[in-house]
Structure formats: structure tokens, C-alpha cells
Amino acid sequence: MNSYEDASVEFMSTRLWMMHRFCIHCKLSGGVFAATEIQGAIPIIHGPIGCAFNHRLPVMKSFLDMKALPCTDMDENDTVFGGMDKLRKTIDDVDEKYHPDLIIVLLTCLSGIIGDDVEGVIEDVKEAGKVKADIVWADTSGFKFRELRTERTLKEWLHNYKNPEDYTPRNMEGCGQVEVINSLATQLMEPAEKYGGIIENGVNIVGMGTRRWGIDRTKERMEILREAGAEINTIFFRDVDCEKVKRSSCARVNIGFRVGRWMHIMKDRFGIDTVYNQFRFSHLSHQEKIRSFYMETGEKLGIEERMKRVMDDKMDLTSRQLQPYRDFLRGKRVVILGGGNVYGFFGLDSSLSIMMDLGLKIEAVSLDQGPLVRRGISEELRRQHRETILDLFGKLGVDPDIIDVEPFGILKEIMEKYKPDLVVCAKERKPQIHALGVPAYSPQFFTFFTGFSGLQNIAQEICLEMKKENLTRKKPLIFNEIDYHPVYFPYIRKVGIPIQISEELQCAVKKGGKRCQ
């Protein structure tokens, strides 16, 4: 990642599409993503034209085959008098122009705040009988779920580690995609009796977009389930259309990628249980985490024995495929630094288990709690967090040095002390590591969902990275001349300082005026 193309462009494009796909900046983004994945569906953005324009940017077009994104174009008058008349007209126009099978009305902050009776409008339109398409609506108004959820998430993480028998999956309400799935489960799905009843060993895979991202993992998942005797009913959102959504009730078990109310809705309406698709936080090896997920699914479907045979064969094959990589990597020294998906509520145990599965030696791990301090996490909860991490080290049988300070301000000292063969870090930090002549690996987003094939891909990627030459070759001028902020990279120092001050002020307010240290 030393050229302009490899560093600047890749960094910006990666971060921007992830913002849209995972709704970092707006819940509406996730709603648009989910709605446009359904074949024959047209989303209507019920809000100002700017909300629709934002989602027509080229950054989205790389990942969504978006044919239409109509908008009700609410303005100042609608803020006072409501935009329901505009919504009625837009629904009629969309049905007449595009002839969709499904219309999904997505709320924005404006329509959500003023409280437009969207459900009433849809009922009126249906009663009029003019519109042929099915119509649902989803509350994707971005002003909701803006509260700081870091502390709640951290408490869930600690609870799940200490009480695995009482595992609580993280609620993903607020991402936009879940809101659309909730609406489909409530407003569109129909009783299984209409489609011939429950499918024996039928499975829905719910909550993973697969047009360009996650296809390999979904393919592997489908192959394993089918080999064990399961029948795939509906995949959200791979090749799914309105009819397939309606008959989702025919499955016996859901495999849930994004947790939300849809799980309870489908349980209450259709009696469908859900297996949460996460390789749960634990001290198991990465392959054992994958195995535990499939075995739980097999138990729910009543195909434990067949699933066990499939898992035994798959793990044996994977071990043989990984052996050449393990031979090369065995004993190589690794330093794991914080940031992004490497360290946080989910990533650390995954990174540790993967590195150990490949035979790497963990020399040091960053436990800098600066990000937690800046988010206002209490001192007691930070203490519990640290103790849990140290307990994880003990159960994994590793004893790395602990780096307690912000690591990216002292990178050179860390490299000189540990002389690592590999640094595991966030993607945007790789240029800094490469500048010191050290290979760097960045786990992909949601590494803990990586399947058997993904583990082999990780091993291959790490080996290729460690065989690279000329890591320290001269960078483009922009990387030589700009004074980046050591903590808030890739912001420059002048921009990073006010950001740091702002976060410290917010933290101080939450702590009753005491400055965060």
C-alpha cells in the first residue's frame, strides 16, 4: 500500500462504501441498501431531495444495481403541514412508471420527526385499489438510535464472555437493514400454510447482503448446510424477490446475521427459531468456533449426526490445506495493535485465535483504553474489560506484553523492541507500519464471521504480505510532507487536535466536569 492508487484511493473508497453499507453515518443508508437488494422492489425516500441525492453518489453505484430511487421531495411547507399528500402521489407515480412488485417507503429524519402517518397513507392507497404493487414501510429515520451505545455493547460483550450459556446477541437495530427486515417480517411475510406448510429442515439466512460482499461466505454456508441435509428456503438478500420474502415463513430455522425484532416477530407469527450467526466470543480456536455454530444449527434442525460428519470432514480438509501456510508462519513474531476491527468488542479474540491457528507467536498486544475513555466509558467498566482480556490470554495460553499507551505515537520504539515479523493493525495504519519496513495485515470487517475458506484466504494473504519486498520505498509526496496526527490518522495534526479536544470536552461533560485522562 505504497502508491497513490493503493493508499489514498483505496483508503477513501473502502471507508466510504463501508459507511454506506454499514450505516456508520445514516440509518437510511442501510435501508436503501436492503431495499435495493430485493428484485422487483423500488424504495421511496420520504423526505428532502438531499437525502436521495446522497444515496445516488458514485460510491454507492459501485455496489448497488440501483435503477431508481424516487423521493417525495419534502420542503419547508411539508415540515409544517405534513408530506402525506406527496407520499400518496409518489406511490401512484412509482407504480405507474416502474410497475414494481414491491414498494418500500423509507422514512428520513424529517418525516420521522414530524410524525407523518405513513401507515395510514399506505392503507388508503391499498383500499383505493389503484396500485398493484405490495407496499411496506420502514422507520429508517436517522435521528433515532443516535445515542451512544458503546457502554451497552461493552456490557453485553463482557456478559457473553463470562456467561456463554446465556449468550445475548448484539441488537443491530438502528443499522437500517434490520429495520427493513423487521418491516418485511411484520407487513409482507405470509403464513406457511399458503405455500404448502413448513419445509422439513428448511433454513432462512437472514440479514446479509450478498450482491458484492459476502458471496463466498454465503456460498460456503449453503454448501455445508445442504451437505448436512438442510434445505435453503430464502436468503436475505441473495436473489430474493417479493414472493420469496412472503414464503420465508416456510423455514424451520433462521440463521440470523443481523439481530433485531424480526427474530421475535417470526417466532411469534410463524414459530421459527433463530440461530445467531456469530462465532461467539470465547477461547476456542477459530475452526472450533465455526464448528460450534454449525453444530448448533444442526441441533435445531435435528440433523446433528450428519452435521457432525460434515464438520469432521471439513475441519480435516481445512487443516491439510492450511499446513503449508503453517509451516511458513510457525514461530513468526506478531504484534497486535489497536484500531478499527483489530481490537474492540469483537475483533481481539478473533484475531488472537486466527494468529494462533496459523502458528504465529503473539509477542505484544495493545490494550490502550483511550478510545473507551473518549467515549465516556466508566473506570469500573474499563477495569472489567481489561480483566476479561487478560483472562482470555490465560485461557488461550498466551502471555504477550501489554502496550497500555497509544501505540501509534511510538511505533518506531515498538518495532525496535519486539522486531515483529508481522503487525496486525487497522487498514488505514498500514502505510505507517510499512514505512518502518514491517509487513502489516489488516483483518477484514466482521472477521469473526470468516468461514473455513476465509481462514485459508487469511493465511494466504498474510504469507503474501510477509514476502513483499521494498516496503520502505519512497512514498508519494503527500505521505512525506503532511504531518498526520498520530492518534487520529489519517487526519492531519491541525485537524486532529480539535477533534481530540472536542472528544475530551464531551467526555468531561459526561463525567461531571472532570477532564478525561
Side-chain angles (χ1 to χ4, degrees):
M1 249 173 74
N2 295 313
S3 69
Y4 176 77
E5 177 68 26
D6 289 342
S8 304
V9 175
E10 182 179 357
F11 169 76
M12 290 303 296
S13 62
T14 299
R15 294 298 154 189
L16 286 172
W17 78 256
M18 285 175 64
M19 284 173 66
H20 280 285
R21 184 167 290 269
F22 300 112
C23 320
I24 293 172
H25 71 313
C26 182
K27 186 167 60 170
L28 179 62
S29 297
V32 171
F33 168 68
T36 51
E37 286 276 297
I38 303 173
Q39 298 177 19
I42 297 291
I44 293 176
I45 293 183
H46 184 36
I49 195 67
C51 293
F53 171 78
N54 180 52
H55 293 85
R56 293 295 309 210
L57 294 176
V59 66
M60 284 290 279
K61 293 180 181 178
S62 300
F63 297 89
L64 302 179
D65 301 328
M66 188 184 298
K67 296 180 180 178
L69 192 62
C71 176
T72 55
D73 190 17
M74 295 178 68
D75 55 25
E76 293 86 350
N77 290 328
D78 302 314
T79 303
V80 178
F81 300 105
M84 292 182 289
D85 290 339
K86 283 188 174 180
L87 179 58
R88 288 189 186 91
K89 184 178 186 307
T90 304
I91 291 175
D92 289 339
D93 291 346
V94 167
D95 186 71
E96 182 178 349
K97 181 176 181 179
Y98 298 104
H99 308 291
D101 298 318
L102 175 65
I103 293 173
I104 303 179
V105 179
L106 303 175
L107 302 193
T108 61
C109 292
L110 177 55
S111 54
I113 289 172
I114 67 175
D116 268 354
D117 184 13
V118 176
E119 189 172 4
V121 171
I122 292 175
E123 288 300 319
D124 291 344
V125 170
K126 288 180 178 179
E127 289 179 5
K130 180 180 177 181
V131 175
K132 297 179 181 179
D134 287 294
I135 311 172
V136 301
W137 69 280
D139 189 355
T140 51
S141 49
F143 74 96
K144 296 183 180 178
F145 292 94
R146 290 281 188 175
E147 77 278 7
L148 185 65
R149 294 183 289 173
T150 304
E151 183 155 340
R152 187 189 71 187
T153 304
L154 184 53
K155 288 179 179 177
E156 291 174 354
W157 183 82
L158 294 172
H159 170 83
N160 290 339
Y161 179 75
K162 296 175 181 178
N163 306 279
E165 72 286 348
D166 185 30
Y167 181 81
T168 303
R170 182 188 178 192
N171 189 339
M172 297 294 288
E173 303 275 354
C175 74
Q177 296 181 39
V178 171
E179 277 69 21
V180 170
I181 300 172
N182 291 343
S183 298
L184 296 175
T186 305
Q187 304 168 43
L188 190 61
M189 295 181 189
E190 297 177 341
E193 291 75 20
K194 184 175 180 178
Y195 301 97
I198 300 296
I199 300 171
E200 185 177 4
N201 302 332
V203 173
N204 293 325
I205 300 176
V206 184
M208 176 180 286
T210 54
R211 189 164 290 162
R212 285 178 178 262
W213 179 81
I215 293 177
D216 290 340
R217 284 195 297 276
T218 303
K219 181 180 178 181
E220 178 185 283
R221 191 174 295 112
M222 293 169 62
E223 291 173 349
I224 290 175
L225 290 170
R226 285 170 174 161
E227 191 175 349
E231 182 176 343
I232 309 298
N233 183 42
T234 305
I235 300 177
F236 291 82
F237 296 94
R238 178 171 178 170
D239 298 327
V240 68
D241 55 27
C242 186
E243 189 69 15
K244 289 182 179 179
V245 173
K246 290 180 178 180
R247 63 172 66 234
S248 300
S249 57
C250 296
R252 191 173 299 278
V253 171
N254 291 320
I255 295 176
F257 178 77
R258 287 184 175 270
V259 172
R261 288 186 299 108
W262 63 266
M263 298 168 58
H264 306 292
I265 295 168
M266 295 184 74
K267 176 67 175 178
D268 294 340
R269 291 191 66 194
F270 312 117
I272 303 177
D273 287 327
T274 299
V275 178
Y276 183 51
N277 181 25
Q278 195 205 109
F279 308 138
R280 299 174 180 181
F281 180 85
S282 70
H283 58 277
L284 296 175
S285 72
H286 202 71
Q287 290 189 71
E288 286 294 340
K289 292 178 185 179
I290 300 173
R291 180 191 182 98
S292 66
F293 156 71
Y294 282 109
M295 289 305 299
E296 181 181 355
T297 305
E299 182 181 352
K300 291 279 188 182
L301 291 170
I303 53 175
E304 300 99 317
E305 291 302 318
R306 290 186 64 175
M307 186 65 78
K308 183 179 182 301
R309 290 195 295 271
V310 172
M311 284 296 99
D312 290 342
D313 293 343
K314 198 69 177 177
M315 291 185 71
D316 179 66
L317 175 61
T318 302
S319 294
R320 287 187 276 112
Q321 291 173 333
L322 287 175
Q323 196 56 50
Y325 302 110
R326 286 171 170 158
D327 292 340
F328 173 78
L329 296 172
R330 186 176 292 111
K332 295 291 195 300
R333 300 180 303 278
V334 176
V335 170
I336 301 179
L337 301 181
N341 313 306
V342 180
Y343 172 67
F345 307 125
F346 311 109
L348 182 57
D349 77 301
S350 178
S351 295
L352 285 169
S353 62
I354 290 174
M355 297 302 113
M356 295 180 68
D357 270 9
L358 299 179
L360 292 154
K361 183 180 178 182
I362 313 297
E363 292 286 342
V365 177
S366 168
L367 290 188
D368 167 44
Q369 293 193 331
L372 299 182
V373 173
R374 290 191 288 272
R375 286 172 172 80
I377 302 300
S378 67
E379 183 177 351
E380 173 60 22
L381 195 56
R382 298 201 310 271
R383 181 189 63 77
Q384 295 180 32
H385 178 262
R386 181 184 176 87
E387 289 178 353
T388 302
I389 295 295
L390 296 177
D391 183 64
L392 172 65
F393 291 157
K395 290 180 178 178
L396 286 171
V398 297
D399 187 24
D401 284 355
I402 306 301
I403 303 173
D404 282 315
V405 299
E406 160 56 45
F408 296 101
I410 55 169
L411 275 181
K412 186 175 181 180
E413 292 86 341
I414 293 174
M415 300 302 109
E416 290 176 347
K417 179 177 180 180
Y418 296 105
K419 296 180 172 55
D421 300 295
L422 179 73
V423 170
V424 179
C425 64
K427 188 170 185 177
E428 60 267 26
R429 300 291 188 177
K430 288 179 72 173
Q432 294 174 287
I433 308 298
H434 282 171
L436 297 172
V438 180
Y441 165 70
S442 299
Q444 294 297 313
F445 201 72
F446 290 136
T447 297
F448 48 83
F449 289 104
T450 300
F452 293 108
S453 59
L455 188 57
Q456 186 175 355
N457 291 338
I458 290 172
Q460 183 180 39
E461 184 179 345
I462 289 175
C463 289
L464 290 173
E465 172 70 16
M466 294 177 69
K467 292 179 180 179
K468 284 183 179 178
E469 298 179 356
N470 300 322
L471 289 172
T472 58
R473 70 180 184 270
K474 188 175 179 60
K475 309 292 189 300
L477 185 62
I478 186 173
F479 288 103
N480 290 328
E481 299 300 324
I482 292 181
D483 183 17
Y484 290 108
H485 193 285
V487 177
Y488 294 94
F489 180 87
Y491 290 110
I492 61 175
R493 189 176 296 274
K494 288 183 179 180
V495 176
I497 289 174
I499 293 175
Q500 183 172 357
I501 293 173
S502 174
E503 289 191 349
E504 289 181 353
L505 286 172
Q506 293 178 41
C507 180
V509 170
K510 292 175 183 175
K511 296 174 74 69
K514 296 180 181 179
R515 188 173 182 273
C516 299
Q517 300 296 328

